[in-house]
Amino acid sequence: MNQRIPVTVITGFLGTGKTTVLRHLLLHSKQRLAVMVNEFGSVGLDGDLIRTCGFCPEEEIEGRLVELNNGCLCCTVQDDFLPTMEKLLGRADDLDGIVIETSGLALPRPLLQAIEWPAVRNRIFVNGVVTLVDGEAVSAGSPVGDLLALEKQRADDPNIDHINSVQDLFSNQLSSADLVLISRADKLSTNQIDNLKTHLSELVRSGTPLLPTTYGNINPEIVLGMQVGSRKDLNDDHDHDHDHDHDHDHDHDHDHEHVEIVSENVRLELPFDPVLIEKLLPKLSAKYKVVRLKGRCWLPGKVFPLQLQMVGPRLSTWFEKSPEEAWRPKSGGIDLVILTFNAGTAKAISRELLQAALENKDE
């Protein structure tokens, strides 16, 4: 059974900094990524910025960068998205992930629905919807920094079939987000960023992280997941013997741009009900401000473990074979790595998972 490929969707209005973030991820993640770029109205520009950044050998560019300029991708799913995805999946063994940079006018949900189409659903999973917002513009009262450029982009796309107001588009992109990046944080005071987070928190799902960023600087593990270098076993990526701090983006000049993330492990050896796990993990992640989570749950009677991948409030699960060297409990158990803002989160989550499992066993 082949491992599923994570698909990360980066969305946000024109000018929010999507391509800048994407370039940073490509250059600093140490992952082998394929990229799908859709920015109708600025034909070739974003693709050129990616093509020339040096994220892969020149001879691999044509197979790892696809530019879609036929219109807003969410309106051309069948014609553009699915054929392109199948093409990229043809080289799945050489990839750690796929990143889609959408048009600024895109609605994320049609893409998420397309990932569930039978032709691709067992080969990929949603690694997260990352929505960028222009912190300076939103703080000033507008969801977009250059409204004229956005309206021109809308007018230039003859295939667009959703005529939404700017505010409706903004709300849709935020309500679909698993992670929100607030760009141009260096233009705002700490107080302005706090007020902006309060405002945005009313437009996102509960538990969605809101992270300030400047010049696209963000820890790649936050956006792409904990897969450094290749799709390794959990044991290869993290030390399970103790909790430890993880780096964090030290390129920032301002305290309010610094995003400090702690990497910790949860490992419990006892039987778990998968329904309980899928219900409980989102609640615990929101409660303890978990940014990302990945791991396995070994269930009695199952040959393969239940794979767990979570970003913000989105949890993806499926059964998949694990490496031979992976930890295997005798009668069931769970093995998680989490990225969180607070040290000690793993111990708190372990206590709650253990309590819930014992209570469920007694019922």
Side-chain angles (χ1 to χ4, degrees), residues 102-116:
T102 72
S103 160
L105 300 173
L107 302 174
R109 289 194 179 94
L111 297 181
L112 301 182
Q113 292 169 354
I115 289 174
E116 293 299 320

Side-chain angles (χ1 to χ4, degrees), residues 77-317:
V77 164
Q78 189 165 353
D79 294 333
D80 287 330
F81 176 78
L82 288 172
T84 301
M85 187 60 67
E86 289 183 313
K87 175 183 175 181
L88 294 176
L89 288 174
R91 56 178 303 156
D93 290 343
D94 298 323
L95 298 176
D96 294 315
I98 298 171
V99 182
I100 303 170
E101 180 191 340
T102 72
S103 160
L105 300 173
L107 302 174
R109 289 194 179 94
L111 297 181
L112 301 182
Q113 292 169 354
I115 289 174
E116 293 299 320
W117 284 35
V120 297
R121 64 183 299 175
N122 292 324
R123 303 164 68 190
I124 58 179
F125 70 94
V126 180
N127 189 49
V129 176
V130 181
T131 297
L132 270 85
V133 300
D134 183 334
E136 187 178 23
V138 177
S139 185
S142 172
V144 58
D146 190 340
L147 183 58
L148 291 178
L150 182 71
E151 292 299 341
K152 183 179 185 303
Q153 186 184 37
R154 191 200 301 256
D156 286 345
D157 188 348
N159 295 316
I160 194 168
D161 62 15
H162 58 273
I163 307 299
N164 300 67
S165 70
V166 170
Q167 188 60 52
D168 285 344
L169 281 169
F170 185 63
S171 297
N172 186 282
Q173 291 176 355
L174 283 171
S175 64
S176 301
D178 304 308
L179 170 67
V180 174
L181 300 182
I182 303 170
S183 65
R184 296 186 173 85
D186 58 317
K187 305 294 184 182
L188 303 174
S189 67
T190 301
N191 186 57
Q192 285 177 308
I193 288 181
D194 290 342
N195 291 337
L196 185 54
K197 286 182 177 181
T198 299
H199 168 63
L200 294 175
S201 66
E202 299 175 357
L203 302 175
V204 299
R205 291 174 294 157
S206 176
T208 303
L210 305 168
L211 305 180
T213 183
T214 298
Y215 302 120
N217 284 316
I218 189 72
N219 185 333
E221 290 192 353
I222 296 174
V223 178
L224 299 173
M226 296 160 277
Q227 303 182 58
V228 180
S230 64
R231 284 171 287 155
K232 297 179 180 179
D233 175 54
L234 283 173
N235 294 351
D236 294 333
D237 290 340
H238 293 271
D239 182 351
H240 290 287
D241 295 329
H242 60 276
D243 299 337
H244 60 284
D245 285 346
H246 215 28
D247 153 17
H248 322 294
D249 283 320
H250 291 295
D251 296 327
H252 304 308
D253 295 325
H254 303 280
D255 289 343
H256 62 248
E257 297 165 42
H258 182 81
V259 179
E260 184 168 334
I261 297 294
V262 179
S263 174
E264 298 183 333
N265 173 244
V266 172
R267 179 178 285 177
L268 297 170
E269 186 169 355
L270 74 164
F272 280 94
D273 178 353
V275 176
L276 175 66
I277 287 295
E278 293 184 16
K279 180 180 179 180
L280 193 56
L281 281 181
K283 293 182 179 179
L284 294 177
S285 292
K287 179 178 179 179
Y288 292 106
K289 300 186 184 303
V290 172
V291 179
R292 269 199 177 269
L293 170 155
K294 84 175 226 182
R296 305 183 184 97
C297 184
W298 293 87
L299 305 173
K302 294 292 185 180
V303 176
F304 297 142
L306 184 67
Q307 302 291 326
L308 304 167
Q309 293 274 353
M310 189 168 185
V311 55
R314 179 185 301 279
L315 174 64
S316 298
T317 65

